[in-house]
Amino acid sequence: MEFGVATPQGAQAPHPEDAPTRERVARSILENGPSSAADLAERLGLTAAAVRRHLDHLAAEGTVEAQQPKAQASRGRGRPARVFALTEAGRDRFDQQYDDLAAQALRFLAETAGHDAVVEFARRRVAFIERDYARVAETHPDLSPAEALARVFTDEGYAASARGLPVIGDQLCQQHCPVSHVAHEFPELCEAETEAISRALGTHVARLATIAHGDGVCTTCIPSAHHTDDHRKGTSA
């Protein structure tokens, strides 16, 4: 995959050999979420100046956009560093080429067999979650449930990771969703994922955000066993 570049007015035309590096920059944002130039430089082993140059070109062609960080625990002096996120057009470059065909097929299924058939299809599509989670959890007992799930989803092309949440538990983050464009029209795909995660873990989980609905990343809150026990006690009381 190559990223075509629309050169900003007055800017120097990019060298052809820059394209692979720009792709690395864009893919790093895809896999790690909105990132600052400093984060990208450290992650990719590039200078901050080189990263900014590539970001300028990616922004000019509409692949990335600059945003202000959402969470700012401490502003300190000066303005917080901007982060760069993929635009919808930028995500399109990484998504499968058959989104339109898949959407048409699901529309046909809904029209001819009804909503229940779409739900059943969605559940079958995510059967890998329960199947592979059990295997990964058994093979790698050192992984937390969220880390095991992240490995399962990453193997299926979701670029997933796990992050700890204070007190509550963990958060499963899916930086990429291979069916996000179809799921925008058919949320049953997202709902089936959430249900399968709950069944695999044997506990309720909460989907906090989805790429299909315009968020930068799909996030699912996975409560710790301690938090779940406390919640059940509080509900009983």
Side-chain angles (χ1 to χ4, degrees):
M1 175 178 55
E2 294 184 0
F3 285 89
V5 172
T7 305
Q9 185 175 4
Q12 183 178 0
H15 295 291
E17 60 268 23
D18 285 344
T21 303
R22 285 195 299 278
E23 181 179 345
R24 288 177 61 212
V25 171
R27 182 167 292 278
S28 183
I29 296 174
L30 169 74
E31 295 177 350
N32 296 278
S35 306
S36 68
D39 291 335
L40 289 163
E42 181 178 359
R43 198 181 296 145
L44 299 174
L46 301 171
T47 65
V51 168
R52 292 191 186 94
R53 177 167 57 85
H54 290 301
L55 287 171
D56 286 343
H57 285 291
L58 289 170
E61 68 180 10
T63 298
V64 304
E65 60 183 358
Q67 300 177 347
Q68 292 298 328
K70 290 184 178 180
Q72 300 173 17
S74 176
R75 289 180 177 270
R77 294 184 178 179
R79 299 177 61 184
R82 293 182 303 169
V83 296
F84 292 84
L86 287 182
T87 62
E88 183 174 353
R91 288 187 181 279
D92 285 344
R93 301 184 183 218
F94 290 98
D95 286 333
Q96 297 178 357
Q97 300 176 2
Y98 304 106
D99 284 345
D100 186 55
L101 176 62
Q104 290 182 33
L106 282 176
R107 290 186 203 114
F108 177 79
L109 185 63
E111 292 170 4
T112 57
H115 175 259
D116 289 346
V118 175
V119 172
E120 181 59 26
F121 170 81
R123 288 173 176 168
R124 290 194 183 189
R125 195 196 75 81
V126 296
F128 72 89
I129 296 175
E130 293 176 81
R131 180 195 67 219
D132 293 350
Y133 173 77
R135 174 182 55 79
V136 171
E138 181 179 358
T139 307
H140 302 279
D142 55 311
L143 297 179
S144 69
E147 290 170 335
L149 279 171
R151 184 167 298 193
V152 169
F153 275 96
T154 295
D155 289 344
E156 291 291 325
Y158 286 77
S161 61
R163 300 175 184 173
L165 294 173
V167 182
I168 297 176
D170 293 313
Q171 189 175 78
L172 175 67
C173 303
Q174 296 157 228
Q175 307 292 352
H176 176 60
C177 176
V179 297
S180 60
H181 289 79
V182 181
H184 179 74
E185 182 176 349
F186 293 95
E188 294 88 350
L189 296 171
C190 295
E191 293 163 4
E193 277 186 19
T194 306
E195 293 171 0
I197 293 172
S198 292
R199 288 194 300 270
L201 300 181
T203 186
H204 173 74
V205 301
R207 183 60 67 93
L208 305 178
T210 63
I211 295 172
H213 292 131
D215 298 299
V217 60
C218 295
T219 57
T220 305
C221 178
I222 301 174
S224 64
H226 176 73
H227 180 77
T228 301
D229 290 341
D230 288 345
H231 175 73
R232 287 173 179 168
K233 291 177 182 178
T235 302
S236 298

